[in-house]
């Protein structure tokens, strides 16, 4: 029980041209085996063309209590979206 | 179900926080691991997801029993793939449970010392090849009934694990039905084997949903938290209604003389399983409880040197890399 394998987070690129996406986690003794396990656990049905693994302990996450200060400032900046601007029909597609 | 009779915990948290939490769930928001949650929600979920994970892992044993004796190479490859999926499903669920702050080894230990349970269904033996068909068709069929609604459960990691599992699980049920169909349309002897498998697995499959929980306080709390979506009776009824016509198509008879169509409710009336048998199995007195636990304990013991060896190698290589830098 003393030597539980560390936890790794797994990211898979589903198709060429897409980002790697977090799919889950797994235990493995080292990075090489983490990739092999990720292949067995997360790509049994052709789900991926590339795998990243990262030790879970190495991930720094924003804290849920910071949600307000971090993300609310974006709420009142509607002018960042193209739909904020009225373009007359005569101008055509923009 | 794969998680049966999961007891919920009484909440002792601040009522204001509890109300805010409930409001999030009622609004359909997902709860993520690092966010505040009632201790009781956390503990109940660890119990439920853990039991579900253990069921996937122990569930490999009755089917693994037939891999070397599958009648054709194709059936063998299918069965291997299915059993491998069950291992994968166990892993997705363990990962979801671990986000709640319990370690993998702790979960494993609790299975091995009997403090955590797995589904009663896996304490029944797979005596003939037709049983492999019955397991896929009925056992996975019953599991899907429960897992499909759980895709909408309130806890994010559990919901995501369920979505993955459901995507893969449909293959399990279909291969089981396909196998049963091959048997049911084969020789008279093969058809008799299929009928025998249905006879033996029918009531244990109905037991998977657990006894009626219409009046259970645990169930009410879990439903409020959306970690349980339907009552056991609702799911059992749905399962029977789905399965009866499938059995009829195969020309097999459901072993229940009280089975009759009820026009009023638009579903089948059926006999309850023998609940005293269910409680005996949960207590450890089913036909295979001892075998299953021994197999898991042996696998854990036999693998110890290997797990430790790989860890030692990883530590050494890391140290060597640091020294080289």
């Amino acid at each position: 029980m003393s030597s539980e394998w560390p936890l790794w987070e797994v990211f898979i690129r589903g198709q060429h041209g897409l980002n790697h996406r977090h799919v889950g986690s797994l235990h493995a003794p080292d990075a090489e085996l983490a990739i092999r396990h990720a292949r067995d656990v997360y790509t049994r049905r052709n789900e991926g063309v590339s795998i990243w693994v990262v030790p879970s302990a190495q991930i720094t996450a924003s804290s849920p209590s910071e949600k307000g200060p971090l993300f609310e400032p974006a709420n009142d900046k509607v002018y960042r979206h193209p739909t904020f601007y009225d373009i007359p029909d005569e101008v055509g597609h923009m | 179900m794969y998680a049966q009779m999961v007891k919920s915990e009484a909440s002792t948290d601040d009522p204001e926080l509890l109300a805010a939490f409930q409001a999030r769930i009622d609004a359909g928001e997902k709860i993520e691991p690092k966010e505040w949650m009632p201790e009781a929600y956390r503990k109940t979920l660890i119990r439920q997801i853990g039991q579900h994970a253990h069921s996937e892992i122990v569930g490999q044993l009755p089917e693994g029993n037939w891999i070397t004796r599958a009648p054709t190479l194709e059936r063998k490859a299918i069965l291997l793939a299915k059993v491998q999926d069950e291992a994968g499903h166990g892993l997705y669920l363990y990962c979801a449970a671990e986000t709640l702050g319990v370690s993998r080894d702790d979960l494993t230990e609790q299975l091995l010392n009997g403090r955590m349970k797995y589904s009663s269904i896996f304490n029944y033996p797979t005596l003939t090849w037709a049983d492999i068909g019955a397991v896929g068709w009925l056992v996975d069929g019953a599991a899907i009934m429960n897992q499909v609604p759980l895709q909408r459960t309130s806890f994010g990691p559990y919901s995501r694990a369920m979505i993955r599992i459901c995507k893969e699980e449909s293959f399990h049920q279909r291969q089981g039905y396909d196998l049963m169909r091959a048997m049911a349309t084969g020789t008279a002897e093969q058809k008799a084997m299929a009928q025998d498998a249905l006879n033996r697995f029918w009531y244990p499959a109905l037991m998977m949903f657990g006894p009626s929980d219409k009046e259970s306080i645990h169930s009410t709390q879990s439903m409020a938290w959306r970690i349980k979506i339907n009552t056991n009776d609702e799911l059992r009824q749905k399962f029977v209604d789905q399965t009866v016509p499938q059995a009829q198509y195969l020309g097999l008879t459901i072993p229940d003389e009280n089975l009759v169509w009820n026009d009023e409710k638009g579903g089948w009336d059926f006999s309850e399983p023998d609940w005293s048998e269910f409680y005996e199995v949960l207590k450890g007195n089913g036909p295979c409880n001892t075998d299953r636990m021994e197999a898991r304990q042996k696998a854990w013991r036999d693998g110890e040197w290997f797990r430790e060896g790989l860890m030692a190698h990883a530590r050494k290589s890391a140290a060597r890399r640091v020294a080289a830098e």
Side-chain angles (χ1 to χ4, degrees):
Chain A
M1 289 293 174
S2 57
S3 56
E4 190 178 70
W5 290 350
L7 194 64
W8 300 75
E9 299 300 322
V10 181
F11 300 80
I12 307 258
R13 185 197 296 286
Q15 289 169 42
H16 292 289
L18 295 184
N19 287 320
H20 283 77
R21 233 179 108 192
H22 183 242
V23 292
S25 53
L26 49 75
H27 288 268
D30 57 29
E32 188 191 336
L33 278 165
I35 295 258
R36 282 169 193 259
H37 290 179
R39 172 212 175 254
D40 289 343
V41 179
Y42 292 106
T43 66
R44 289 195 301 282
R45 288 176 176 76
N46 275 326
E47 288 97 333
V49 296
S50 164
I51 302 173
W52 288 349
V53 292
V54 183
S56 305
Q58 294 294 316
I59 295 208
T60 308
S62 64
S63 137
S65 60
E66 287 178 307
K67 215 156 99 188
L70 282 179
F71 306 115
E72 270 165 24
N75 285 348
D76 57 2
K77 297 181 177 56
V78 282
Y79 46 82
R80 285 187 166 157
H81 297 279
T83 45
F84 180 73
Y85 305 93
D86 273 333
I87 304 292
D89 285 346
E90 299 91 293
V91 178
H93 177 74
M94 184 181 285
Chain B
M1 211 36 353
Y2 276 20
Q4 291 159 327
M5 307 194 63
V6 177
K7 289 203 174 81
S8 64
E9 301 263 332
S11 263
T12 51
D13 290 289
D14 174 7
E16 228 170 272
L17 282 170
L18 278 177
F21 179 78
Q22 189 62 50
R24 291 191 59 198
I25 289 181
D26 294 342
E29 276 184 44
K30 294 277 184 246
I31 308 302
E32 294 298 337
K34 287 176 75 187
E35 293 168 348
W36 186 86
M37 62 185 79
E39 252 332 276
Y41 176 85
R42 180 188 304 277
K43 280 197 187 143
T44 308
L45 263 179
I46 289 177
R47 210 173 285 156
Q48 177 172 335
I49 302 174
Q51 197 184 110
H52 196 156
H54 297 326
S55 299
E56 300 281 356
I57 297 300
V58 177
Q60 294 177 98
L61 297 170
E63 293 182 292
N65 181 35
W66 279 91
I67 290 175
T68 55
R69 288 174 287 163
T72 67
L73 184 58
E74 185 185 63
R75 292 284 178 195
K76 181 174 180 164
I78 291 171
L79 186 55
L80 256 176
K82 179 180 190 288
V83 172
Q84 195 190 13
D85 271 357
E86 306 298 2
H89 295 177
L91 295 183
Y92 306 155
L93 287 159
Y94 281 132
C95 288
E98 285 177 87
T99 66
L100 291 159
V102 62
S103 81
R104 175 77 58 92
D105 278 2
D106 193 24
L107 288 167
T108 306
E109 210 175 342
Q110 291 195 50
L111 169 68
L112 297 185
N113 67 24
R115 271 195 296 139
M116 282 182 98
K117 300 283 178 208
Y118 55 90
S119 175
S120 58
I121 190 72
F122 302 118
N123 291 312
Y124 291 86
T126 43
L127 302 175
T128 74
W129 173 248
D131 288 8
I132 298 304
V135 167
W137 173 35
L138 302 173
V139 175
D140 289 273
I144 291 171
M145 277 292 151
N146 182 53
Q147 290 172 171
V148 164
L150 275 176
Q151 293 178 99
R152 293 177 282 118
T153 186
S154 61
F155 186 55
Y158 192 24
S159 156
R160 292 189 285 272
M162 277 300 133
I163 290 171
R164 268 196 97 81
I165 288 175
C166 285
K167 238 190 237 168
E168 299 178 349
E169 196 91 57
S170 151
F171 139 61
H172 296 181
Q173 191 188 13
R174 291 174 70 133
Q175 66 82 34
Y177 192 71
D178 185 66
L179 198 165
M180 282 306 254
R181 195 154 73 100
M183 302 289 287
T185 55
T187 64
E189 223 182 334
Q190 286 170 327
K191 186 168 182 184
M193 279 169 75
Q195 182 63 54
D196 172 59
L198 172 58
N199 292 349
R200 281 180 293 107
F201 275 92
W202 176 251
Y203 287 106
L206 294 188
M207 289 179 203
M208 285 175 68
F209 299 95
S212 179
D213 58 354
K214 267 182 295 207
E215 271 130 52
S216 150
I217 44 164
H218 299 301
S219 215
T220 310
Q221 175 62 78
S222 291
M223 287 175 95
W225 279 336
R226 289 184 72 74
I227 57 182
K228 184 180 174 75
I229 313 288
N230 305 92
T231 67
N232 296 348
D233 290 321
E234 276 167 16
L235 292 171
R236 189 171 12 252
Q237 181 70 52
K238 247 178 116 175
F239 174 73
V240 171
D241 292 347
Q242 172 190 284
T243 308
V244 170
Q246 292 169 350
Q248 287 170 337
Y249 180 86
L250 295 176
L252 299 179
T253 311
I254 303 277
D256 179 0
E257 48 194 35
N258 298 320
L259 188 79
V260 58
W261 178 257
N262 180 332
D263 235 349
E264 210 174 305
K265 74 172 178 188
W268 292 86
D269 288 336
F270 55 92
S271 304
E272 289 276 313
D274 174 1
W275 291 112
S276 61
E277 177 182 320
F278 172 77
Y279 289 114
E280 278 305 306
V281 173
L282 282 200
K283 261 194 262 166
N285 302 325
C288 298
N289 295 60
T290 313
D291 280 0
R292 301 296 186 236
M293 287 305 280
E294 275 174 9
R296 287 314 306 153
Q297 280 157 352
K298 181 175 186 315
W300 184 248
R301 268 197 320 271
D302 291 355
E304 194 176 2
W305 69 272
F306 182 72
R307 292 192 302 275
E308 284 181 357
L310 286 180
M311 211 50 233
H313 172 73
R315 281 197 208 103
K316 243 191 220 169
S317 324
R320 225 176 279 139
R321 258 198 315 278
V322 171
E325 273 165 14

